Amino acid sequence: TTAPVTPFCGDAVCNNGEICSTCPGDCGACTKANGQSCTLGTQCTSSFCVDGVCAEGPELIFGDGEMNKINVIFVPDGYTESELTLFKDDVIRLINAPRDNYGFFSVEPFRSNRDKFNIFRLDTTRCYKEKYLWCYEVMEEFSAQVIVIKKPLPGESVGSIGGYAMKNRVVVFRDLFNSSSLTGLILLHEFGHSFGSLSDEYITDKYFNYNSL
C-alpha cells in the first residue's frame, strides 16, 4: 500500500491548520480590513484600495448597478470627514437628482437616457494631498470619473473657470459651481469634453473682444 502523503504548504489544498498568512499559495491571499495598508484592491475585504489604504467601496446612488452601462463615479477632493455630508448634497445637485437644478440629467441627451447610466459616489477623505489625487485603482473601473474639489490648493487661482476635463476624467470646483446658477451645467460642459471628445468652448467678452477682429 502507498503511504498517505503528509499535507504541506504548496500542495494546492488549504488544510492541516494552514491559513492565508502562513500559506497564501494554498489558502489565497489574506484580505485586509478597512484602514489597513494595501497596494491592490484584491488585498482588501472591500475590494477597494484608496491611496494605499483599504477603504469602503463606492455607493450606487442612481441606476440599477448593472455594469454594462455608463458608470460614472464622483470622488471628493479637499473635503474633511465632517464635510462628507456636504459632498453628498453637492453630488445630488450636480446630477440633478431632485430635478430642480440645471444638472447632469436636466438636458438632452442625458435626460432621455437616464436608464443607461449608473452614478456612484465614493465617500473618502483619502484622495487629497499636496496635489490632486485621482484614486487611480478605484477610478479605472468606471467609464467616467468626476472629482469634486471643495477648494483650490493654497496659492492656486482658477479664476472664473468652474472645471476642466481630461480623458474620461472631469474636475469641478465646488466653490465656483456652488455660487453659480449654472451648477451642473459646468459638469455637463466638461463631461462633453472628457467622455464625448467634444471641442466646444464659449468665450465671453471678458476674455476676448470680438470687435477687435
Side-chain angles (χ1 to χ4, degrees), residues 12 19 55 72 90 103 107 134 149 171 176 189 209 211 213:
I19 58 176
V72 181
D90 289 341
V107 298
W134 312 131
I149 297 177
V171 174
L176 291 172
H189 175 80
N209 186 352
N211 294 327
L213 289 177

Side-chain angles (χ1 to χ4, degrees), residues 114-131:
R114 294 161 63 96
D115 61 338
K116 295 181 174 62
F117 285 83
N118 289 317
I119 305 293
F120 296 83
R121 188 193 66 238
L122 181 62
D123 298 332
T124 180
T125 58
R126 299 197 60 86
C127 292
Y128 180 78
K129 281 188 175 179
E130 295 178 359
K131 292 291 184 182

Side-chain angles (χ1 to χ4, degrees), residues 84-155:
L84 287 179
T85 299
L86 177 65
F87 169 65
K88 294 177 183 180
D89 292 340
D90 289 341
V91 173
I92 291 297
R93 292 182 58 210
L94 285 168
I95 67 173
N96 197 37
R99 304 180 68 84
D100 58 3
N101 292 309
Y102 290 101
F104 194 79
F105 291 123
S106 65
V107 298
E108 298 295 351
F110 303 103
R111 179 185 298 170
S112 58
N113 288 281
R114 294 161 63 96
D115 61 338
K116 295 181 174 62
F117 285 83
N118 289 317
I119 305 293
F120 296 83
R121 188 193 66 238
L122 181 62
D123 298 332
T124 180
T125 58
R126 299 197 60 86
C127 292
Y128 180 78
K129 281 188 175 179
E130 295 178 359
K131 292 291 184 182
Y132 302 137
L133 300 179
W134 312 131
C135 299
Y136 280 111
E137 187 187 353
V138 173
M139 306 294 261
E140 289 173 357
E141 299 188 11
F142 296 87
S143 313
Q145 313 147 14
V146 180
I147 298 92
V148 183
I149 297 177
K150 185 172 182 292
K151 58 184 177 181
L153 292 171

Side-chain angles (χ1 to χ4, degrees), residues 163-177:
Y164 58 90
M166 295 168 280
K167 182 174 176 57
N168 294 338
R169 188 170 297 148
V170 172
V171 174
V172 290
F173 291 95
R174 182 192 188 275
D175 283 356
L176 291 172
F177 79 69

